[in-house]
Amino acid sequence: MRKVALYPGSFDPITLGHVDIVERALQVFDEVVVAVAVNIRKTPTFSGDERVDLIRATFADEPRVEVVSFSGLLVDYARERGIKTVLRGLRAVSDFEFEFQLASMNRRLTEEVDFIFMMTSEEHFFVSSSLVREVALNGGDVTQFVPPPVVAALRARAES
Ligand code: ADP
């Protein structure tokens, strides 16, 4: 049976921290489904479709990565797809409390899905979508934090 991980998040936009987690996961799983949550924040910087497109462009050469969007409960989506493993990334201890709550809540909702956590490499510890947006929209250079398609998209956004 193929081992598949579901990697959910806002990805507004995808950063090299997220990319690092996907690449690590591909060493353990046969396939990673990156799932963009479209109902979490009401006013994202990039629309659901834009976020999906940016992730697809980032992994254009990686057939083992599938990119989808979903709304509603994550565990319902996982069940619908028959995926039993949800992947989340951990940066620092500060991520732990929220992720612990999220995983515990989801476990109460269903026993069918397990959460696993991967640690990003040190150079990405401090990278977050919100900080990247902040830097980019104020004219800063974000090439070391996000994949090339996102650099271009943020540049276009800053100029508009
Ligand atoms: P959410 O709003 O669901 O937290 P994010 O897009 O911010 O969505 O993050 C999705 C997942 O990726 C989360 O598990 C988050 O902890 C993880 N993540 C975010 N940034 C990084 C990073 N720099 N390195 C590793 N994991 C990260």
Side-chain angles (χ1 to χ4, degrees):
M1 211 170 88
R2 280 177 76 74
K3 285 185 285 177
V4 182
L6 183 64
Y7 182 32
S10 315
F11 303 105
D12 187 29
I14 186 166
T15 69
L16 291 181
H18 297 127
V19 172
D20 183 86
I21 296 292
V22 171
E23 280 168 353
R24 281 169 198 282
L26 284 172
Q27 293 177 35
V28 182
F29 293 91
D30 298 311
E31 201 183 312
V32 175
V33 178
V34 181
V36 175
V38 289
N39 59 350
I40 286 179
R41 273 180 63 211
K42 286 214 172 73
T43 49
T45 299
F46 293 101
S47 72
D49 286 347
E50 286 172 319
R51 284 178 272 155
V52 166
D53 287 347
L54 288 171
I55 303 170
R56 284 200 181 131
T58 302
F59 293 107
D61 297 330
E62 183 44 84
R64 294 191 298 139
V65 172
E66 183 191 348
V67 188
V68 297
S69 63
F70 78 102
S71 58
L73 283 181
L74 170 68
V75 289
D76 288 341
Y77 184 73
R79 214 173 352 209
E80 222 171 83
R81 293 282 312 253
I83 300 175
K84 299 201 176 310
T85 310
V86 171
L87 168 68
R88 297 282 289 176
L90 286 179
R91 280 160 291 190
V93 187
S94 52
D95 276 342
F96 179 80
E97 195 173 351
F98 175 69
E99 294 295 336
F100 185 74
Q101 275 187 344
L102 189 73
S104 306
M105 172 72 84
N106 278 305
R107 174 159 288 174
R108 289 283 192 89
L109 295 175
T110 178
E111 284 279 351
E112 284 168 42
V113 175
D114 255 309
F115 275 59
I116 68 152
F117 300 91
M118 286 187 133
M119 239 174 75
T120 182
S121 54
E122 263 169 58
E123 66 204 278
H124 300 123
F125 269 173
F126 61 93
V127 179
S128 73
S129 297
S130 55
L131 275 179
V132 162
R133 284 197 308 266
E134 204 63 28
V135 171
L137 297 178
N138 286 295
D141 179 12
V142 290
T143 45
Q144 49 180 323
F145 309 128
V146 292
V150 176
V151 174
L154 282 167
R155 230 171 243 156
R157 207 37 83 86
E159 283 161 9
S160 66

